[in-house]
Amino acid sequence: MARPTPLSGFPEWLPDGRIVEQHVLDALRRTFELHGFAGIETRAVEPLDQLLRKGETSKEVYVLRRLQEDPAASAEDDRAGQLGLHFDLTVPFARYVLENSGHLAFPFQRYQIQKVWRGERPQDGRFREFTQADIDVVGAGALPYHYEVELPLVMAEALGSLRDIGVPPVRILVNNRKVAEGFYRGLGLEDVEGVLRSIDKLDKIGADAVAALLVAETGATEEQARACLELAAISGSDDSVITRVRELAASHSVTSELLDEGLEELGALVRAAAERAPGVVVADLKIARGLDYYTGSVYETVLVGHEQLGSICSGGRYDTLASDGATTYPGVGLSIGVTRLVSRLLGAGLVRATRPVPSAVLVAVTSEETRAESDAVARSLRSRGIPVEVAPAAAKFGKQIRHADRRGIPFVWFPGAVGEDGARGADQVKDIRSGEQQDADAATWEPSAVDWWPRVTPAV
Amino acid sequence: MARPTPLSGFPEWLPDGRIVEQHVLDALRRTFELHGFAGIETRAVEPLDQLLRKGETSKEVYVLRRLQEDPAASAEDDRAGQLGLHFDLTVPFARYVLENSGHLAFPFQRYQIQKVWRGERPQDGRFREFTQADIDVVGAGALPYHYEVELPLVMAEALGSLRDIGVPPVRILVNNRKVAEGFYRGLGLEDVEGVLRSIDKLDKIGADAVAALLVAETGATEEQARACLELAAISGSDDSVITRVRELAASHSVTSELLDEGLEELGALVRAAAERAPGVVVADLKIARGLDYYTGSVYETVLVGHEQLGSICSGGRYDTLASDGATTYPGVGLSIGVTRLVSRLLGAGLVRATRPVPSAVLVAVTSEETRAESDAVARSLRSRGIPVEVAPAAAKFGKQIRHADRRGIPFVWFPGAVGEDGARGADQVKDIRSGEQQDADAATWEPSAVDWWPRVTPAV
């Protein structure tokens, strides 16, 4: 077998990169659990007809076929029984809630950290397999608005817990479907989705082109188009944002209960965020992505200084996350694109692991006959929680030290030599970075806290 | 959408079951890392031609197709570029080693905890998606025998770390390909694979039927068949096993260097295990499964008292785990079937989680206007690492207490009432199990260690 080459879109990390990813996952999990989110996992597959309920994503689904299955069967239009890999964690979560509603206490808040797959065309250079970390709260019948305030703040805290390893600060951009829809309808524009689609192109094609698009595609007048652009230009992280939207609405004689409701919600979010995570949450009225399917708040998150990476954490409020006919389950949630984040951290050299292996100590082996002595030292250290490996072979000590060095292991342990009288001399431990070597007792010695486990730190 | 039903072969857990599974995964990871194994993850897919290199597994592979792909293309015999889901973690690990050999220090020891998929027919009632936890050590060119002793002992320690949650003790059954092959060849039987296939049926069809099979299918004489059965009948956890095999070989005039080499290895394993994990490792000469592809030691692991569950942790030694033509990579490893284990623990009611949510405390909300006070209490507790959630609504306290009770949360926190003078009274915390309620300060109060996080304990 010749050396294999990586598969485009399926990222993998070397051991030191995996330590960074694992640190990120552990830190997110801890924040989610501190906030009472229960962890669940769902199977990787869903029935194809469930995955295809939203038409837009159909092109991205990987369909499964058992190798021994009749290939003609999978080509048939009849999709009953066919399985596809999930492309997000929301569809499976909605199904899980319906399937287990009798066993869950609502509002049910869960986190879910799993791989998802999208059958993107390879030449797009996008990830086809990546890890998401989602939090959602789902209610049975109703879900209070305050969760729309809390969930982005939980994510701000989770991402904030990564600051000390070198993750840049985040900015969470928020908008509210009710504000946009209320404003557009109040202006007299009924094609709300059409307006949102045009506004979504603002960053790409600029205000004048969007204005032209609004006129051409949504039947807006020049004045209505300009009003939409004025709304989209409003952003800020305090209550003044709400005032400016109200003033804009008044200047266009827009009155709308929906707009008022949306502004009240958006205002509550901005005020709570200003108190609990100052500077992190910014109301940005041009955020349009997702407003076609979210029904209230919508969130996007950028790394400050790395905005061109796009949103690394998005989400929003659904009035109907799931429904079994009898009960409707509204929900609100956000999803971190962990792979995109980690890929950026590693690719831009922002973070590093202090070593690529867990071991703090390599126990040298004096001779294969006395390997059991080295094993006993290792057991003693491990019994006190110190990660240890034993040298692969009783090579010359210089070679064993080089083995530790190549693996980034900071300490090499030398079992005491047995003298002519049969007594074993004192063990010694060497810090191979400083060269310092001293007597040590496997029952009591310990590495410093910073050397105990591999750590993840800013690379600078 | 009607209530969905589970998909056969794709197990999922409720939140309390997931806590058990997560505990198992965390405990395994800790033991693996204490022994210096580096964690890696590989992508879920491999090129189909790599997955099908061993013909026998072909029937179990799930093949992927992008939904928008021409279905006819995937039906073609040309498999180039086709992807399948991995059915174990060994094939992807071998590929990872070859792909990254220039960046790894050998012997490279890694653990890998991931889902795998097998396209079993649904009616078999077997898992089609399950989690494996693998450890392997791989050398470049050579790999010393002592790893064949160490790796099963690492697994014994990992599984032993689960004893305190109610996992039964394990027994690791070991055999050695060299012993079996050397003995059979020494007897004059050349169809080693055929003999192993027959011996593998011993538990199912009994000794007489296996003897008949050996005569009919491998050309053995009655006496040769009986000798094979005598070998298979030998088991034990000390050196006497080796002696008995030697005596058996002598009584049949079998001499074989391969047999001698195998017995030396098996003896070393049994002796080391007797010292380091007394009673856990048993040499069992009838273990034949896997001996057709492993080249040295082979391992199977049963839960004592649950032997009918089959092996929950298997593995062995490969002389050629991977090869790029220039270098051959021998390896030794074992794989725990985590899903099978957890499914058994939950299904048989052996273990339970003390609660299904992380939260130790529910902070009650007196009125929606003062929700910020409850949020502040929660933040204060969380800042000291206590998992907390805030009540979903300012319902009557009795209802909020019932909400906590339904979620298994042990403590409810009541922010102090604000008196007519505007001053806030003392907060109180109630243990809803005992009913005991007392004044508490969010800056200093903490739950007892056993209540802090959900724990996993024996169910009895």
Side-chain angles (χ1 to χ4, degrees):
Chain A
M1 184 179 180
R3 174 171 299 178
T5 49
L7 269 182
S8 165
F10 292 90
E12 288 184 336
W13 314 124
L14 286 167
D16 56 346
R18 173 62 183 166
I19 287 175
V20 171
E21 182 177 58
Q22 186 71 63
H23 177 95
V24 169
L25 296 174
D26 288 346
L28 298 178
R29 171 181 161 194
R30 179 172 165 86
T31 301
F32 300 159
E33 293 186 346
L34 279 175
H35 285 263
F37 288 77
I40 67 163
E41 282 207 338
T42 57
R43 64 193 188 218
V45 303
E46 297 294 332
L48 194 54
D49 53 358
Q50 288 304 311
L51 292 173
L52 300 185
R53 287 171 75 199
K54 291 186 202 161
E56 272 207 283
T57 53
S58 65
K59 64 179 178 303
E60 301 181 346
V61 174
Y62 276 118
V63 185
L64 260 57
R65 166 175 73 79
R66 287 187 294 121
L67 189 63
Q68 298 303 309
E69 202 170 276
D70 177 8
S74 65
E76 281 174 23
D77 269 355
D78 176 22
R79 286 166 170 167
Q82 277 203 68
L83 300 175
L85 293 175
H86 57 216
F87 54 80
D88 70 8
L89 302 177
T90 306
V91 171
F93 175 55
R95 190 262 314 154
Y96 180 94
V97 166
L98 288 182
E99 191 174 311
N100 300 295
S101 58
H103 303 282
L104 303 173
F106 294 95
F108 174 54
Q109 39 185 59
R110 79 88 176 82
Y111 75 89
Q112 191 169 347
I113 300 176
Q114 283 186 253
K115 299 245 170 77
V116 304
W117 294 268
R118 297 193 183 170
E120 308 272 359
R121 295 189 313 163
Q123 57 265 45
D124 290 349
R126 303 176 70 168
F127 292 134
R128 294 193 282 177
E129 174 179 66
F130 55 98
T131 299
Q132 287 191 181
D134 283 26
I135 55 172
D136 282 272
V137 178
V138 61
L143 185 72
Y145 173 74
H146 64 79
Y147 288 111
E148 291 177 58
V149 177
E150 277 171 37
L151 263 69
L153 295 176
V154 174
M155 279 306 200
E157 190 176 319
L159 291 164
S161 76
L162 301 172
R163 290 295 308 281
D164 63 354
I165 66 165
V167 173
V170 298
R171 183 173 299 129
I172 302 182
L173 309 173
V174 303
N175 195 1
N176 190 301
R177 160 88 190 194
K178 295 172 188 174
V179 172
E181 178 170 353
F183 186 84
Y184 302 153
R185 289 196 193 279
L187 274 179
L189 294 170
E190 294 301 319
D191 180 8
V192 175
E193 268 73 24
V195 176
L196 289 169
R197 265 198 307 279
S198 301
I199 293 292
D200 192 36
K201 299 196 168 82
L202 204 43
D203 280 345
K204 269 190 209 138
I205 64 176
D208 289 341
V210 168
L213 212 55
L214 285 166
V215 171
E217 303 208 342
T218 68
T221 64
E222 278 289 337
E223 196 200 331
Q224 288 170 326
R226 286 294 152 195
C228 292
L229 286 167
E230 286 176 79
L231 180 70
I234 294 174
S235 76
S237 55
D238 61 34
D239 241 5
S240 72
V241 172
I242 309 304
T243 312
R244 282 148 66 202
V245 176
R246 282 197 213 285
E247 287 169 0
L248 178 68
S251 75
H252 290 278
S253 308
V254 167
T255 59
S256 159
E257 280 184 24
L258 192 62
L259 173 62
D260 291 342
E261 192 182 324
L263 285 174
E264 198 164 312
E265 293 184 357
L266 192 59
L269 174 49
V270 166
R271 280 189 299 274
E275 188 194 322
R276 287 165 56 176
V280 170
V281 172
V282 175
D284 186 341
L285 280 296
K286 77 169 180 294
I287 298 294
R289 216 178 48 186
L291 282 188
D292 47 342
Y293 48 89
Y294 291 119
T295 53
S297 301
V298 61
Y299 319 103
E300 293 197 2
T301 311
V302 293
L303 290 178
V304 175
H306 302 256
E307 288 80 2
Q308 75 287 10
L309 186 60
S311 177
I312 57 151
C313 174
S314 309
R317 153 97 187 200
Y318 296 95
D319 280 343
T320 309
L321 177 74
S323 172
D324 58 11
T327 308
T328 294
Y329 298 88
V332 53
L334 294 98
S335 174
I336 297 179
V338 175
T339 302
R340 178 186 286 222
L341 175 62
V342 170
S343 173
R344 182 64 164 203
L345 296 177
L346 295 174
L350 294 172
V351 306
R352 66 176 191 94
T354 52
R355 58 181 186 258
V357 297
S359 311
V361 180
L362 176 84
V363 182
V365 175
T366 311
S367 71
E368 287 303 330
E369 290 65 42
T370 59
R371 173 172 290 277
E373 287 175 17
S374 300
D375 286 337
V377 168
R379 272 202 303 289
S380 176
L381 293 169
R382 284 185 200 119
S383 73
R384 291 182 295 112
I386 302 166
V388 180
E389 59 191 81
V390 177
K396 287 184 179 161
F397 281 161
K399 195 172 171 192
Q400 296 190 50
I401 292 169
R402 280 195 301 279
H403 178 75
D405 190 37
R406 231 177 13 250
R407 292 168 68 77
I409 301 172
F411 297 99
V412 176
W413 191 284
F414 301 100
V418 175
E420 289 189 359
D421 59 352
R424 184 166 142 193
D427 290 6
Q428 291 206 309
V429 64
K430 182 191 194 80
D431 182 330
I432 64 171
R433 297 160 300 187
S434 65
E436 196 188 338
Q437 185 164 336
Q438 57 186 32
D439 285 2
D441 180 347
T444 55
W445 179 89
E446 51 186 51
S448 68
V450 293
D451 286 330
W452 200 295
W453 290 102
R455 285 172 306 115
V456 178
T457 67
V460 287
Chain B
M1 183 181 178
R3 173 171 300 177
T5 50
L7 269 182
S8 165
F10 291 91
E12 288 183 337
W13 315 124
L14 285 168
D16 56 346
R18 173 63 183 165
I19 288 175
V20 171
E21 182 177 58
Q22 186 71 65
H23 177 95
V24 169
L25 296 175
D26 288 346
L28 297 178
R29 171 181 160 193
R30 180 173 165 84
T31 301
F32 299 159
E33 293 186 345
L34 278 175
H35 285 263
F37 288 77
I40 67 163
E41 283 208 337
T42 58
R43 63 194 188 219
V45 303
E46 297 294 332
L48 194 55
D49 54 358
Q50 288 305 309
L51 292 172
L52 300 184
R53 286 172 75 198
K54 290 187 203 162
E56 272 208 283
T57 52
S58 64
K59 64 180 179 301
E60 300 181 348
V61 174
Y62 276 117
V63 185
L64 261 57
R65 166 174 74 79
R66 287 187 296 120
L67 190 62
Q68 299 304 307
E69 202 171 275
D70 177 8
S74 65
E76 280 174 23
D77 268 356
D78 176 21
R79 286 165 170 167
Q82 277 203 68
L83 300 175
L85 293 175
H86 58 217
F87 53 81
D88 70 8
L89 302 177
T90 306
V91 171
F93 175 56
R95 189 262 314 153
Y96 180 95
V97 166
L98 288 183
E99 192 174 312
N100 300 295
S101 57
H103 303 281
L104 304 173
F106 293 96
F108 174 54
Q109 39 185 59
R110 79 86 175 83
Y111 74 91
Q112 191 170 347
I113 300 177
Q114 283 186 253
K115 300 247 170 75
V116 304
W117 295 268
R118 297 194 182 170
E120 308 273 358
R121 296 189 312 165
Q123 57 265 45
D124 289 348
R126 302 176 73 167
F127 291 133
R128 294 193 281 176
E129 174 179 66
F130 54 97
T131 299
Q132 286 191 183
D134 284 26
I135 55 172
D136 283 272
V137 178
V138 61
L143 185 72
Y145 173 74
H146 64 80
Y147 288 111
E148 291 177 58
V149 177
E150 278 171 37
L151 263 69
L153 294 175
V154 174
M155 279 305 199
E157 190 177 321
L159 291 164
S161 76
L162 302 172
R163 289 298 305 282
D164 62 355
I165 66 164
V167 173
V170 298
R171 184 172 298 129
I172 302 181
L173 309 174
V174 303
N175 196 0
N176 190 299
R177 160 88 190 194
K178 295 172 187 173
V179 172
E181 179 171 352
F183 186 84
Y184 302 153
R185 289 196 192 278
L187 275 177
L189 294 170
E190 294 301 322
D191 180 8
V192 174
E193 268 73 23
V195 176
L196 290 169
R197 267 196 308 278
S198 301
I199 293 292
D200 192 35
K201 300 197 168 81
L202 204 45
D203 281 344
K204 271 190 208 139
I205 63 177
D208 290 340
V210 168
L213 212 54
L214 285 167
V215 171
E217 302 207 342
T218 68
T221 64
E222 276 290 338
E223 197 200 330
Q224 288 170 325
R226 286 293 151 196
C228 292
L229 287 166
E230 285 176 82
L231 179 69
I234 294 175
S235 76
S237 56
D238 61 34
D239 241 7
S240 72
V241 172
I242 309 304
T243 312
R244 283 147 66 202
V245 176
R246 283 197 211 284
E247 287 168 0
L248 178 68
S251 75
H252 290 278
S253 309
V254 167
T255 58
S256 158
E257 280 184 26
L258 191 63
L259 173 62
D260 291 342
E261 191 182 326
L263 285 174
E264 197 164 314
E265 292 185 357
L266 193 60
L269 174 48
V270 166
R271 280 188 300 274
E275 187 194 323
R276 288 165 58 175
V280 170
V281 171
V282 175
D284 187 340
L285 281 294
K286 77 167 180 296
I287 298 293
R289 216 178 47 185
L291 283 188
D292 47 343
Y293 47 90
Y294 292 118
T295 52
S297 300
V298 61
Y299 319 102
E300 293 197 2
T301 311
V302 293
L303 290 177
V304 174
H306 301 256
E307 288 78 2
Q308 75 287 9
L309 186 60
S311 178
I312 56 151
C313 175
S314 308
R317 154 97 188 200
Y318 297 97
D319 280 343
T320 309
L321 177 74
S323 172
D324 58 12
T327 309
T328 294
Y329 297 88
V332 54
L334 293 98
S335 174
I336 297 180
V338 175
T339 302
R340 178 186 286 220
L341 175 63
V342 171
S343 173
R344 181 64 164 205
L345 296 176
L346 296 174
L350 295 173
V351 306
R352 66 178 191 94
T354 52
R355 58 180 186 260
V357 296
S359 311
V361 180
L362 177 84
V363 182
V365 174
T366 310
S367 72
E368 286 303 331
E369 290 67 40
T370 59
R371 172 172 292 277
E373 287 175 17
S374 301
D375 286 337
V377 169
R379 271 203 303 288
S380 176
L381 293 169
R382 284 185 200 120
S383 74
R384 290 182 296 112
I386 302 167
V388 180
E389 59 192 82
V390 177
K396 287 183 179 161
F397 282 162
K399 196 172 170 191
Q400 296 190 49
I401 291 169
R402 281 196 300 279
H403 178 75
D405 190 36
R406 232 178 11 250
R407 292 168 67 76
I409 301 172
F411 297 100
V412 176
W413 191 284
F414 301 100
V418 175
E420 290 189 359
D421 59 353
R424 184 166 142 193
D427 290 6
Q428 290 206 310
V429 65
K430 183 191 193 79
D431 182 331
I432 65 172
R433 298 160 301 188
S434 66
E436 195 188 338
Q437 186 164 338
Q438 57 186 32
D439 286 2
D441 180 348
T444 55
W445 179 87
E446 52 186 50
S448 68
V450 292
D451 286 331
W452 200 295
W453 290 103
R455 284 172 305 114
V456 178
T457 66
V460 289

